[in-house]
Amino acid sequence: MHEDFVEVLLAKERAASIPEEDDWYGGLIGEWEFEWVDHEGAPEERHVQGEWLFARALEGRAIVDLFICPSRKERKRSASSENEEYGLSIRTYSPQTHSWHVCHASSGMPEQLVAIRESNGDIVQTSAVDKGYVAVWRFSKLTADSFCWTNRISEDGGKTWELVGEVFAKRRNLGC
C-alpha cells in the first residue's frame, strides 16, 4: 500500500488549472539543505542543520513539503528532542483570489496561512486564523539554488514583530 499511496499522492507536473505565473512554489520542487538560525545575537542563539523537501501532489493541484529540523542525518547522531520540528505543509491554489492556502501540521501547533506574492517576488504567508498572534512566513531571495525563509510573529496586532527564526537553504538536488 505504501508505494501505491505515494504514487497516487505525488504528481510530476503542475495542473492546468494553475496558471504558470501563479505557480510560485514550483521553483522550490526538490530537496534542500538548510541552516536554521534562531535567537540571533542573543546568548541562546542556535544554529541547526535541517532539510526541506517539496513535491507536487493531488494531480498537480497542490504543493506538499516536509520541513525536518534537525535533519534526518543529525537526528541519527544526537538523540536530543529539544526544539525539533518535523512538519508537513499542503498548499492549494485559489483561482478566485490568485493566492495559495497553506495548512501546516507539525510537532507544534497547526497553522493555516494565506500566501500572496509581492512585486519583488517574495512569497508571503500570513496566519489565516486568529490565535492571539499573527505569523508571517516569508520566502525571499529566491533563486534556482537558494532561498531565505523567515518566521516572524506579532502578539500586538502587527505593531511589533519578533523574528522567531531564519532558514538559509541551498538546493540538494532536483526533485519530482
Side-chain angles (χ1 to χ4, degrees), residues 51-68:
E51 59 187 311
W52 210 338
L53 297 85
F54 290 81
R56 294 192 187 277
L58 306 177
E59 297 182 316
R61 293 187 312 269
I63 301 285
V64 295
D65 76 64
L66 287 172
F67 182 92
I68 306 167

Side-chain angles (χ1 to χ4, degrees), residues 64-127:
V64 295
D65 76 64
L66 287 172
F67 182 92
I68 306 167
C69 187
S71 67
R72 291 172 289 175
K73 183 178 177 181
E74 292 297 317
R75 287 168 187 261
K76 288 179 182 175
R77 279 191 228 175
S78 171
S80 171
S81 63
E82 184 179 340
N83 298 315
E84 287 187 349
E85 175 79 20
Y86 206 109
L88 169 71
S89 293
I90 301 173
R91 295 172 171 83
T92 55
Y93 177 70
S94 170
Q96 294 81 16
T97 61
H98 298 278
S99 63
W100 286 79
H101 294 265
V102 182
C103 295
H104 176 78
S106 70
S107 51
M109 301 218 5
E111 291 282 351
Q112 294 179 31
L113 304 107
V114 174
I116 61 163
R117 188 154 203 180
E118 293 185 334
S119 59
N120 65 2
D122 287 5
I123 302 169
V124 180
Q125 303 170 145
T126 305
S127 301

Side-chain angles (χ1 to χ4, degrees), residues 22-30 54 56 63 100 123 171:
D22 290 343
D23 188 24
W24 311 332
Y25 297 100
L28 296 174
I29 302 298
F54 290 81
R56 294 192 187 277
I63 301 285
W100 286 79
I123 302 169
R171 186 175 295 279

